[in-house]
Amino acid sequence: MAESSEDRDERQLPASERKLAKAREDGQIPRSREAAHAASLLAAFMTVALYGPAFADRCMALLRGSLRFDRSVTRDPQLALNGAASQAWEAFVAVMPILVAPIAAAMLATLVVGGLVFTLKPITPDLSRIDPMAGLGRIFSMKSLIDFGKLALIALAVGLVGFWVISGGLHRFASYAGMPLPAALAAAGSDLKAGLLSVFGVVLVAALIDGPLQIFRHRKDLMMTPQEARQENRESEGDPQVKAKLRQRQREMSRGRMLAVVAQANVVVTNPTHFAVALKYDEGAMGAPRVVAKGADLLAARIRELAAESNVPMLEAPPLARALYRHVEIDQEIPAALYSAVAQVLAWVYQLQQFSAGRGGPPREPGIQVPDGLDPLQEGAR
């Protein structure tokens, strides 16, 4: 289906790497016929220049062999067949470089412009390709008219060059009939090289223009609208709503793992209502006490609830709770500046355990202070 003018006007964004890769998978790559023609003619010219003398010698040998008469051939038809087969094979071997070199050069030029792609999608049956209306739209599209005009100009230029070469060499061509065969072949080869070189010059100019033009047109055909770019961005990076749900789910899972270790904490330091920080210290495995859980408001209430269910001691120390919540992440050791304050908390926990075991009196809650600059409330007051 032909693209509307509105769609073309909206396609102002360059094609993304993802769209270019998808187009390559579908076999949509820039191709230049003129580049292939130029490479083919160049290969033919070089083949004639380099291989021409050897080809002429082979042709002379084949001609001499075909004109040589052997009486034994008339007596044995099989010998005649073998001789004909041998000459046919030698002729095929002689012509092969002239045939293969232009074909290989054309294929190489095609790969240079568009690259190498292995895909079966261009030849996969597609019912939309046999739609008569779509076919007429492609035939009479602006792209087809431009391609037709380009081919007409190239054909006209090649025809004019060919006419100039032939008209200027008619007298030489007529003189071939009076020359010995080797001299006639040499002269014909020289004129052929000159003609090929002239035609190659025309096609080379067309290829130098058409190659970049096809790449530009390919990129232009794949340009994207803002809507397509946004859709591709959502597909490649994920829908923002889906990503938000995933992040929420990850936070919930992380929160669940955090709350699960509250029961293993040594103490929970509270604000008493806004913040709650669970500390754990294992002298044999840790260099310093570590924050294993922390939370504010509702999460702090949940931490206190779990601590009460697991008989984890809770100590109200608002400055320390605020400092730990602000400056220490979960599963990190406390900074050295808070060693003294946390040591007082652990000492209180030890005294509480001794009292619970019937050894010693009830512990007195310490008046814990933290160094200047660590309590967020003090920072706000300043």
Side-chain angles (χ1 to χ4, degrees), residues 105-150:
M107 295 175 62
L108 181 60
T110 301
L111 296 180
V112 168
V113 175
L116 181 63
V117 176
F118 293 101
T119 179
L120 297 177
K121 288 189 177 182
I123 60 175
T124 302
D126 187 355
L127 295 179
S128 63
R129 296 178 183 173
I130 61 176
D131 184 358
M133 299 305 297
L136 289 174
R138 288 191 295 268
I139 292 174
F140 295 103
S141 64
M142 182 58 66
K143 180 179 179 181
S144 298
L145 292 176
I146 293 174
D147 290 339
F148 176 77
K150 179 184 64 177

Side-chain angles (χ1 to χ4, degrees), residues 320-368:
L320 180 59
R322 291 191 296 264
L324 289 171
Y325 185 85
R326 168 65 68 86
H327 300 289
V328 187
E329 297 298 327
I330 295 174
D331 206 32
Q332 284 187 352
E333 294 182 352
I334 63 172
L338 294 176
Y339 279 0
S340 177
V342 173
Q344 297 179 58
V345 173
L346 295 179
W348 175 82
V349 172
Y350 176 76
Q351 296 173 7
L352 182 62
Q353 292 173 345
Q354 294 295 315
F355 174 73
S356 299
R359 297 188 293 271
R364 179 181 301 176
E365 292 188 1
I368 299 174

Side-chain angles (χ1 to χ4, degrees), residues 65-382:
S66 62
L67 296 177
R68 186 180 298 116
F69 180 75
D70 190 348
R71 295 176 57 186
S72 62
V73 175
T74 61
R75 300 175 182 176
D76 189 353
Q78 185 63 38
L79 291 177
L81 292 175
N82 292 340
S86 177
Q87 288 190 342
W89 174 252
E90 291 180 4
F92 175 77
V93 173
V95 175
M96 183 58 63
I98 299 177
L99 297 178
V100 171
I103 296 174
M107 295 175 62
L108 181 60
T110 301
L111 296 180
V112 168
V113 175
L116 181 63
V117 176
F118 293 101
T119 179
L120 297 177
K121 288 189 177 182
I123 60 175
T124 302
D126 187 355
L127 295 179
S128 63
R129 296 178 183 173
I130 61 176
D131 184 358
M133 299 305 297
L136 289 174
R138 288 191 295 268
I139 292 174
F140 295 103
S141 64
M142 182 58 66
K143 180 179 179 181
S144 298
L145 292 176
I146 293 174
D147 290 339
F148 176 77
K150 179 184 64 177
L151 292 176
L153 287 175
I154 295 173
L156 178 62
V158 171
L160 291 175
V161 171
F163 176 78
W164 174 71
V165 171
I166 293 174
S167 62
L170 284 176
H171 63 284
R172 294 194 308 275
F173 302 155
S175 65
Y176 293 165
M179 293 181 182
L181 184 58
L185 289 176
S190 178
D191 287 335
L192 180 61
K193 287 189 290 184
L196 284 175
L197 184 59
S198 300
V199 175
F200 170 71
V202 175
V203 178
L204 178 61
V205 172
L208 293 176
I209 297 174
D210 186 66
L213 178 62
Q214 293 301 325
I215 296 175
F216 171 77
R217 287 176 60 177
H218 176 69
R219 295 272 181 162
K220 186 174 180 61
D221 291 340
L222 293 178
M223 290 183 71
M224 306 170 65
T225 64
Q227 177 62 28
E228 289 176 339
R230 288 192 295 268
Q231 179 65 26
E232 183 179 287
N233 185 63
R234 284 196 295 267
E235 292 176 355
S236 60
E237 298 184 1
D239 192 324
Q241 294 182 354
V242 175
K243 291 198 297 183
K245 291 181 179 178
L246 289 175
R247 287 195 294 267
Q248 181 181 358
R249 179 59 178 166
Q250 291 171 351
R251 288 193 296 267
E252 292 175 354
M253 294 176 62
S254 176
R255 183 179 301 173
R257 290 191 297 269
M258 179 190 71
L259 293 175
V261 299
V262 171
Q264 305 172 11
N266 297 115
V267 63
V268 173
V269 182
T270 66
N271 191 33
T273 57
H274 293 297
F275 299 106
V277 180
L279 297 174
K280 181 176 178 59
Y281 179 57
D282 185 346
E283 187 176 358
M286 300 178 184
R290 181 172 297 173
V291 173
V292 295
K294 69 176 184 177
D297 299 328
L298 293 178
L299 185 56
R302 180 58 180 161
I303 292 174
R304 293 194 301 271
E305 180 182 343
L306 292 173
E309 293 176 356
S310 304
N311 294 321
V312 175
M314 287 183 283
L315 175 65
E316 292 185 11
L320 180 59
R322 291 191 296 264
L324 289 171
Y325 185 85
R326 168 65 68 86
H327 300 289
V328 187
E329 297 298 327
I330 295 174
D331 206 32
Q332 284 187 352
E333 294 182 352
I334 63 172
L338 294 176
Y339 279 0
S340 177
V342 173
Q344 297 179 58
V345 173
L346 295 179
W348 175 82
V349 172
Y350 176 76
Q351 296 173 7
L352 182 62
Q353 292 173 345
Q354 294 295 315
F355 174 73
S356 299
R359 297 188 293 271
R364 179 181 301 176
E365 292 188 1
I368 299 174
Q369 299 296 325
V370 298
D372 293 340
L374 294 181
D375 187 353
L377 190 60
Q378 294 178 356
E379 293 178 0
R382 290 197 298 270

